[in-house]
Amino acid sequence: MDFATSDVRLWKEAISSYKTNLESLNKPQLIQLDDLYRNKLPLQIHNRNPNPYITKSELTNLMHWKLTRGKWRPRLLNFVSSLDETLVESSSRKAFQSLPDISKAVSELTVLKGVGPATASAVLAAFAPDVVPFMSDEAMVAALGSSKDYTLKAYLNFTIKLQSKAKELSIEGEYFTPSDVEMALWSSVVGSKAVASPSDPDLKMNSKRKSGKRKR
């Protein structure tokens, strides 16, 4: 899906296909982790009003979700698992209180070892999906043309792009958040890869046979 498109139907279709595309990765644990991240974590954080925060165990689960959904980097998980509980809670509390100043909010979280702008964005998106999106590689490539720059500057640029797209798509009774835009982009990319490389062994075999026939 082209990031520039304003066809609301295409964006909604990509979002509705998210779960199917998530399952296409054949990572059973990811389904549970995604449910924890998208449905349970936001409620847990907001139930701690008036000074919400995220716990160390929740941050560990979030990191596990992030790495399972994207590129696996076990060292990051080890770093987060060794963090001090009190520091995680105080840093996240300050970060949530800093919003809508995204730059400050990210900076409050990146003092934690193993937490860069991408992980910080996941934490903030769980708390305020209507303000900040998760910095996934797939969405970064779609919006900026590259996913190699994991700096705060790149994330702020990325966020502006997704906020603008969400506003553009929120017309005629429709409502999109920056997090919705990220979900649609991720879903679209993963869905395209699943079509190009079917996971079913029989489909792969048929694909190879057809390819072989063409070569002959």
Side-chain angles (χ1 to χ4, degrees):
M1 184 173 65
D2 187 349
F3 181 78
T5 184
S6 299
D7 190 333
V8 174
R9 178 182 57 84
L10 292 178
W11 288 91
K12 291 178 69 175
E13 286 179 356
I15 292 174
S16 65
S17 299
Y18 178 82
K19 186 176 180 180
T20 298
N21 292 328
L22 194 73
E23 292 171 346
S24 75
L25 296 176
N26 294 316
K27 299 177 180 179
Q29 192 176 18
L30 180 57
I31 307 302
Q32 180 183 2
L33 289 169
D34 197 75
D35 179 58
L36 285 173
Y37 176 73
R38 296 193 177 281
N39 301 316
K40 297 177 182 178
L41 181 58
L43 290 175
Q44 291 169 335
I45 294 174
H46 284 282
N47 282 339
R48 298 183 182 120
N49 279 333
N51 297 304
Y53 60 86
I54 189 172
T55 67
K56 175 183 171 181
S57 63
E58 290 167 349
L59 179 59
T60 300
N61 284 333
L62 179 150
M63 179 65 85
H64 201 172
W65 166 81
K66 172 180 174 287
L67 298 178
T68 305
R69 186 176 182 255
K71 296 178 181 178
W72 186 253
R73 298 185 179 94
R75 286 189 65 194
L76 295 182
L77 194 58
N78 292 336
F79 286 147
V80 170
S81 298
S82 64
L83 288 171
D84 178 74
E85 178 77 51
T86 303
L87 182 59
V88 172
E89 292 183 7
S90 63
S91 295
S92 58
R93 185 181 288 112
K94 291 176 183 177
F96 295 150
Q97 292 174 344
S98 297
L99 291 174
D101 186 336
I102 298 173
S103 179
K104 184 177 180 181
V106 171
S107 296
E108 294 288 359
L109 287 167
T110 52
V111 299
L112 300 171
K113 188 172 183 178
V115 176
T119 302
S121 74
V123 174
L124 296 174
F127 175 69
D130 56 326
V131 179
V132 292
F134 169 51
M135 188 184 191
S136 67
D137 287 350
E138 292 79 4
M140 285 277 285
V141 171
L144 303 180
S146 173
S147 64
K148 296 181 180 181
D149 188 355
Y150 295 102
T151 63
L152 174 58
K153 181 179 179 180
Y155 177 62
L156 294 177
N157 188 18
F158 170 75
T159 298
I160 291 172
K161 290 261 189 180
L162 268 64
Q163 287 177 336
S164 297
K165 178 56 68 173
K167 184 177 181 180
E168 175 189 328
L169 297 172
S170 297
I171 56 173
E172 299 179 359
E174 299 291 348
Y175 177 66
F176 284 78
T177 67
S179 290
D180 289 331
V181 175
E182 185 278 327
M183 180 187 288
L185 294 172
W186 185 91
S187 178
S188 177
V189 171
V190 173
S192 296
K193 289 180 179 178
V195 171
S197 303
S199 58
D200 188 320
D202 292 333
L203 291 176
K204 286 186 176 181
M205 182 61 70
N206 290 333
S207 178
K208 288 181 179 179
R209 286 172 180 169
K210 290 179 180 178
S211 177
K213 288 180 180 178
R214 283 196 297 270
K215 288 180 179 178
R216 292 192 190 101

